[in-house]
Amino acid sequence: MPEHLLFFTTPAKSGERKIYSLVRVSAHLFMESWWISSEPVALIIEENGVWHFSPLEDGISDDILLRAEPV
């Protein structure tokens, strides 16, 4: 399994709401070439000081936030 990192994106803003994507970035070595991929795994939504976590794939829970890095 390839190594991966988790990053928060800069938030998109809509009125009082801020939406952050939690993105998984993976690097794969294939026949002497590197392939880098990224995919969103969760959305974190903040509105009026209230935070919501919305996973985008099975098996993702809010404890994954502890391993993420800010961009």
Side-chain angles (χ1 to χ4, degrees), residues 1-9 21-28 36-42 57-60 64 67:
M1 183 166 168
E3 292 295 317
H4 65 268
L5 298 172
L6 296 168
F7 293 95
F8 292 107
T9 62
S21 295
L22 182 60
V23 178
R24 179 189 302 125
V25 177
S26 302
H28 311 267
I36 298 175
S37 65
S38 65
E39 58 186 329
V41 295
E57 65 180 49
D58 291 336
I60 300 293
I64 197 169
R67 298 184 310 200

Side-chain angles (χ1 to χ4, degrees), residues 43-56:
L43 297 176
I44 297 90
I45 302 162
E46 186 268 324
E47 186 172 15
N48 299 322
V50 179
W51 293 84
H52 303 277
F53 178 81
S54 179
L56 299 176

